[in-house]
Amino acid sequence: MALSWGTSTPDPDPDPDDVLPLKPCLLRRNHSRDQHGVAASCLEELRRKACEVLAIDESLTPVTLVLAEDGTIVDDDDYFLCLPSNTKFVALACNEKWTYNNSDGGTAWVSQESFDADETDSGAGVKWKNVARQLKEDLSSIILLSEEDLQALIDIPCSELAQELSQSCAAVQGLQNTLQQVLDQREEARQSKQLLELYLRALEKEGAIFSNQEEPKATLGGDVDAVDTGISKEMASQVALTSQILTALKEKPAPELSLSSQDLELVSKEDPRSLAVAMSWDVEKAETVQKACSTELALRLQQVQSLRSLRNVSVRRDPLPEEQQSPKRARQDPE
């Protein structure tokens, strides 16, 4: 990144009583990496020097100065004087809009137009913001999120998530650590279920468990196949589940841990025969998966309800400072 110090025409000698200290600043144009160092005592002087060192044509004035970090418009001298030295500014011409560029992190600079296009095409940008707003309204909804949503919020840069949640970076870092813990807990639960299934299969194979049920199972399996053969494949098209849900059901071990609570509800309400056809399962397996989804959904809703109840109890037990002090005042005898 190029950095140069601009040389502008010196101001006429001012009245000594009106001299203000010069504040060093860094200036750049939108969509540019080249920064120029200037010193100015007020915003008007900084705007004028920005036009000079950045070669902004007069036809593109007036110039708007914004903070390079978050796009905050600086249009007040008092606010300008409160900013630290070497604050980075972006000079916007009359028709330009600020775009976020994490130049300090060394990432590629992307125009706002391409960023908007990416959000429109993939929907990923809009999706994580919707999930963030959901958390902003109710933090306990962490429990209801899918693993994909949890991972999306973990992967978002802390500064962007902090801006969306109107929180400090320190608070958001703690939130992301909590999200990672929830994700890790689900992975641990998945691994535990897989180990249990492997253990039960090993016992079943050795004949230690269900040995007396092998023949009924074989008969039942044949009946299921016969029934499934008679099911119209058109039933698969009647499944009201998205391809994302179906993929998770087919590919994820313990898929109930991967899905959001809304997805779990959809799976639970699906017709078992239609689900079996759509997944190429037998009806018994479809019902087993649906039962697991229903159990996981009930557990999450119970956890959310418990958290909300604890929060309400905490609010009732912590009165306002005025309420805590009022009994003491009542016991004081007048002098």
Side-chain angles (χ1 to χ4, degrees):
M1 179 186 298
L3 177 63
S4 63
W5 289 92
T7 55
S8 56
T9 306
D11 297 330
D13 293 337
D15 188 330
D17 296 334
D18 297 333
V19 172
L20 294 175
L22 294 176
K23 181 186 293 292
C25 304
L26 296 174
L27 288 169
R28 69 169 175 84
R29 289 295 303 273
N30 215 18
H31 308 301
S32 174
R33 298 188 183 187
D34 296 334
Q35 294 186 137
H36 302 264
V38 299
S41 59
C42 63
L43 273 177
E44 187 57 38
E45 182 180 2
L46 186 60
R47 289 193 189 97
R48 179 171 55 78
K49 291 186 176 182
C51 292
E52 294 177 2
V53 300
L54 299 177
I56 299 177
D57 191 87
E58 291 185 2
S59 62
L60 300 178
T61 56
V63 168
T64 302
L65 296 175
V66 302
L67 297 180
E69 180 182 2
D70 57 10
T72 300
I73 297 177
V74 182
D75 55 4
D76 180 79
D77 274 321
D78 292 335
Y79 180 55
F80 168 73
L81 294 175
C82 291
L83 294 173
S85 298
N86 297 317
T87 296
K88 297 179 181 180
F89 292 90
V90 175
L92 301 177
C94 57
N95 294 324
E96 290 182 338
K97 293 183 179 181
W98 173 82
T99 59
Y100 173 77
N101 292 303
N102 188 9
S103 57
D104 293 334
T107 57
W109 286 46
V110 184
S111 67
Q112 185 66 30
E113 291 77 13
S114 62
F115 179 74
D116 292 340
D118 289 342
E119 284 193 349
T120 303
D121 293 340
S122 65
V126 175
K127 185 175 181 180
W128 79 260
K129 289 184 179 180
N130 290 336
V131 177
R133 290 168 191 148
Q134 182 180 346
L135 288 185
K136 189 176 182 180
E137 293 176 2
D138 185 3
L139 194 59
S140 61
S141 61
I142 290 176
I143 300 172
L144 307 178
L145 298 179
S146 67
E147 288 185 329
E148 182 182 0
D149 291 339
L150 290 170
Q151 191 63 58
L153 292 180
I154 293 171
D155 293 338
I156 290 297
C158 185
S159 58
E160 293 186 39
L161 188 55
Q163 183 177 0
E164 187 66 33
L165 296 176
S166 302
Q167 297 289 336
S168 66
C169 283
V172 169
Q173 186 61 59
L175 172 62
Q176 288 183 316
N177 291 338
T178 301
L179 295 173
Q180 185 63 58
Q181 291 176 6
V182 174
L183 202 58
D184 292 342
Q185 289 172 357
R186 293 195 189 179
E187 181 60 30
E188 290 174 3
R190 176 182 291 106
Q191 292 178 5
S192 298
K193 285 191 174 185
Q194 286 181 281
L195 289 174
L196 180 59
E197 289 176 358
L198 290 173
Y199 177 70
L200 293 176
R201 287 176 187 173
L203 291 179
E204 185 177 3
K205 186 176 180 180
E206 294 175 1
I209 297 181
F210 307 131
S211 59
N212 59 344
Q213 298 182 9
E214 288 181 358
E215 185 175 349
K217 273 191 173 183
T219 304
L220 179 59
D223 293 338
V224 170
D225 291 340
V227 173
D228 289 346
T229 303
I231 297 176
S232 171
K233 292 186 178 180
E234 294 179 357
M235 295 183 66
S237 63
Q238 299 175 5
V239 175
L241 304 178
T242 64
S243 59
Q244 180 181 354
I245 298 176
L246 294 175
T247 301
L249 292 176
K250 181 172 292 187
E251 299 180 356
K252 292 282 188 179
E256 68 275 8
L257 299 175
S258 302
L259 300 174
S260 68
S261 295
Q262 183 178 5
D263 295 339
L264 291 174
E265 185 176 3
L266 291 175
V267 175
S268 302
K269 292 181 177 179
E270 191 58 66
D271 178 68
R273 290 161 60 88
S274 299
L275 181 61
V277 173
M279 300 299 299
S280 300
W281 291 341
D282 56 53
V283 177
E284 183 180 5
K285 182 174 181 180
E287 291 175 342
T288 301
V289 171
Q290 286 183 304
K291 183 178 180 181
C293 289
S294 299
T295 303
E296 177 66 19
L297 177 61
L299 177 61
R300 293 188 194 180
L301 294 178
Q302 183 180 7
Q303 290 174 337
V304 170
Q305 185 62 37
S306 299
L307 285 175
R308 291 175 179 173
S309 298
L310 288 172
R311 183 173 56 195
N312 293 335
V313 170
S314 176
V315 170
R316 289 196 297 269
R317 288 184 177 179
D318 294 331
L320 296 174
E322 292 80 1
E323 295 174 348
Q324 295 174 337
Q325 296 172 5
S326 56
K328 295 182 179 180
R329 294 197 189 105
R331 288 195 294 268
Q332 291 177 353
D333 296 328
E335 295 181 0

